[in-house]
Amino acid sequence: MRQLVNIARSIARIMGYIGAFAVVAMMLHISLDVVLRNLFRLSMNTVPEIVARYYMTALAFLPLGWLELRRQMISVELLDFAMSDRVRQYSDAAVMVVASLVYGFLAWTNWDKAFSETRVGTLVEIATYKMPVWHSFYFAPIGFTLAAMITALLAFGYLNPALAAQLDEAEE
């Protein structure tokens, strides 16, 4: 089980770093476009599409698993103060099961969409240039799949003290 946790942590961390890289790349790309446009009157026509289709989708979806593993997703603990530790443990496990099912459904539907866009070879027409964007449709299903697996792992972790300790180590 420790190997599974380590693999999940490694993959989630890599996806988080890719999301962080997307932020830096987006900032540099937009800055370069602004500098070129203001100093040399040159415009990079593809910047809005690349930002919207690649950087923003990578940033939004790839780090989901990392955020779940580190327990940094938004949560509302309305009745937790009134629950015993045992009941809170079962409640947290149930929440993770529901989250895993939702992420799984989102992953399933987005994999279908990504494969469909790949078959079609989706393009965006920019002036006289056709930019392929079908690749960007894979960020969402990858992120949702990883988040579904990690929330399922966390659900088991809330019910198994040995796994919970390993997951707490992976959180760091």
Side-chain angles (χ1 to χ4, degrees):
M1 195 55 93
R2 181 172 290 282
Q3 268 186 319
L4 182 62
V5 170
N6 287 337
I7 289 169
R9 182 186 67 203
S10 297
I11 293 171
R13 182 176 285 166
I14 289 167
M15 293 298 125
Y17 287 145
I18 292 171
F21 174 76
V23 171
V24 174
M26 178 173 54
M27 178 192 67
L28 293 174
H29 199 169
I30 292 170
S31 297
L32 177 64
D33 184 46
V34 169
V35 167
L36 288 175
R37 194 173 338 117
N38 289 324
L39 293 179
F40 304 107
R41 302 287 182 225
L42 295 172
S43 181
M44 298 167 44
N45 295 335
T46 59
V47 171
E49 283 74 19
I50 291 173
V51 166
R53 300 279 184 158
Y54 289 97
Y55 299 139
M56 294 299 281
T57 54
L59 167 65
F61 296 113
L62 293 181
L64 286 174
W66 181 242
L67 291 171
E68 287 289 358
L69 187 63
R70 295 175 54 97
R71 296 172 182 90
Q72 291 181 335
M73 293 297 278
I74 296 172
S75 65
V76 177
E77 299 169 348
L78 188 62
L79 300 174
D80 274 10
F81 72 92
M83 295 179 188
S84 68
D85 289 340
R86 187 79 145 159
V87 172
R88 188 176 313 120
Q89 192 176 13
Y90 288 127
S91 170
D92 290 343
V95 167
M96 286 296 118
V97 167
V98 170
S100 185
L101 292 171
V102 169
Y103 280 135
F105 176 74
L106 291 169
W108 176 61
T109 58
N110 277 280
W111 278 115
D112 187 46
K113 177 73 171 167
F115 293 142
S116 170
E117 298 299 325
T118 301
R119 277 191 301 276
V120 172
T122 303
L123 303 165
V124 173
E125 198 167 327
I126 307 164
T128 60
Y129 175 70
K130 292 182 180 177
M131 184 176 86
V133 295
W134 59 267
H135 323 84
S136 65
F137 286 90
Y138 284 93
F139 291 133
I142 290 170
F144 287 139
T145 300
L146 181 61
M149 292 189 301
I150 287 178
T151 51
L153 205 66
L154 287 170
F156 287 117
Y158 282 117
L159 302 175
N160 181 340
L163 181 57
Q166 293 172 15
L167 288 166
D168 288 340
E169 289 174 19
E171 186 178 329
E172 299 169 1

